[in-house]
Amino acid sequence: MTTGDMRMNLRERYRWFRTWQEHPFDYANHSEHTTRCANCGTEFRDNFCPRCGQKAGVGPIGWNTVRQGIMILWGMDNRSLSFTLVQLALRPGYLIHDYISGKRQVAFPPVKMLFIVALANALAALLHEKLYGSVAEAQTFEGELAFLNQFMTWAKDNTAWSTLLFMAVFILPTWLFFRRAPRYPRHNLPEGFFIQVFMASLNLLIDTVAQLTVMQVSHLFPIYFIVTYRQLFGYGWWGTIWRLLFCAAIGLGLIIIAAMASVVWFNAEEIFSS
């Protein structure tokens, strides 16, 4: 194979990948003959029964039925957790766009996914500690900031909630700077919540890979953030980056304000008595 052929082959594979990113699902009717539903007896020509929703072609129980039953037990049926995580890694913005625009069947339930990924992240951290020794001790705060030690302990024990809490600072800035986006204009704050649930899952997924492979991949999350927002909202690279910089600045400001308010709240008696 010549260099030109390899280049052409790579180009074709990239085109296929880009097409898959935008349209990964096939909803065409593959049923060519009239089928009688084994559940309710309705005759139809489609992939699923229009009356009861049972899939066409359900036959006698066999080993494939056993496999499907086990897959459903682990949440790996039509909205597979594993396939959703693959989508989150390879087409994050398009996946989020599909979900918040009404295509709920394309993804494993996002909040449930966040807690499962957080559990996997905690197990990966324990395995990492077992194999490579204890991780560095977290910073402890003293004086007026001593109350933050309790928060840090809570955050460590509740990875899903703490990651989501951190990502929540982007909900309002994202709404402010991306609500006129060409691909998804006028998104609302509840949709912004689910955007950040997906982003929190992506953050934990990257950290889990880092724990299991001992690779320095933490720098991937900012890159993923840019790629995800570009795919989701449809701005160009520069339009996405400068808006995200403003989002980060506002998010940092909100964190600083919350930290200052917490210091005042937890030390109110000492402050006012002096």
Side-chain angles (χ1 to χ4, degrees):
M1 182 180 290
T2 65
T3 305
D5 291 336
M6 291 179 61
R7 193 180 298 116
M8 183 71 70
N9 190 29
L10 288 174
R11 196 175 291 125
E12 287 298 321
R13 287 178 181 274
Y14 178 71
R15 287 200 193 101
W16 175 88
F17 177 68
R18 291 286 295 143
T19 302
W20 175 84
Q21 279 188 310
E22 297 189 34
H23 306 288
F25 303 102
D26 178 17
Y27 294 108
N29 181 8
H30 297 290
S31 180
E32 299 179 355
H33 307 287
T34 300
T35 304
R36 178 180 293 275
C37 178
N39 183 52
C40 66
T42 301
E43 291 188 352
F44 62 96
R45 288 186 63 181
D46 212 329
N47 297 327
F48 294 89
C49 175
R51 175 172 293 177
C52 69
Q54 180 162 290
K55 189 174 183 179
V58 174
I61 289 179
W63 288 113
N64 190 47
T65 313
V66 175
R67 181 189 63 81
Q68 291 174 350
I70 295 173
M71 297 288 278
I72 291 174
L73 174 65
W74 292 100
M76 298 177 125
D77 50 334
N78 293 334
R79 292 188 291 172
S80 163
L81 172 60
S82 57
F83 184 57
T84 301
L85 293 178
V86 170
Q87 291 188 79
L88 196 58
L90 299 181
R91 56 182 300 268
Y94 296 122
L95 169 65
I96 298 171
H97 180 274
D98 288 342
Y99 187 84
I100 64 177
S101 62
K103 298 179 181 179
R104 303 288 188 267
Q105 294 300 318
V106 302
F108 193 80
V111 177
K112 185 177 180 181
M113 176 176 64
L114 173 61
F115 280 84
I116 294 176
V117 174
L119 176 61
N121 181 262
L123 294 175
L126 288 174
L127 181 62
H128 179 92
E129 185 176 348
K130 198 86 170 175
L131 294 176
Y132 304 105
S134 59
V135 295
E137 289 292 329
Q139 179 183 356
T140 56
F141 298 89
E142 298 178 356
E144 294 180 347
L145 298 178
F147 71 93
L148 288 176
N149 294 325
Q150 296 179 354
F151 174 77
M152 297 300 291
T153 301
W154 173 84
K156 183 178 179 181
D157 295 337
N158 300 271
T159 311
W161 285 113
S162 59
T163 306
L164 182 57
L165 183 63
F166 173 75
M167 298 305 305
V169 302
F170 285 94
I171 294 176
L172 182 59
T174 296
W175 178 79
L176 288 173
F177 288 98
F178 288 89
R179 72 181 188 277
R180 301 185 187 279
R183 182 170 171 81
Y184 199 81
R186 295 185 297 279
H187 83 278
N188 56 42
L189 294 179
E191 290 171 343
F193 167 79
F194 280 101
I195 291 172
Q196 300 312 322
V197 169
F198 278 106
M199 296 306 297
S201 297
L202 182 58
N203 187 10
L204 288 174
L205 181 62
I206 293 172
D207 187 65
T208 301
V209 172
Q211 296 278 5
L212 293 175
T213 60
V214 203
M215 295 172 59
Q216 297 296 326
V217 294
S218 57
H219 62 279
L220 285 179
F221 186 62
I223 297 173
Y224 259 113
F225 220 118
I226 296 171
V227 171
T228 300
Y229 271 51
R230 184 175 185 270
Q231 291 179 356
L232 172 57
F233 293 110
Y235 287 112
W237 289 110
W238 174 239
T240 302
I241 291 171
W242 75 256
R243 286 175 174 84
L244 275 177
L245 288 175
F246 276 103
C247 287
I250 293 176
L252 179 60
L254 291 174
I255 292 174
I256 292 173
I257 291 171
M260 293 174 62
S262 300
V263 171
V264 173
W265 175 266
F266 282 95
N267 298 279
E269 182 177 349
E270 197 174 314
I271 292 174
F272 289 115
S273 62
S274 59

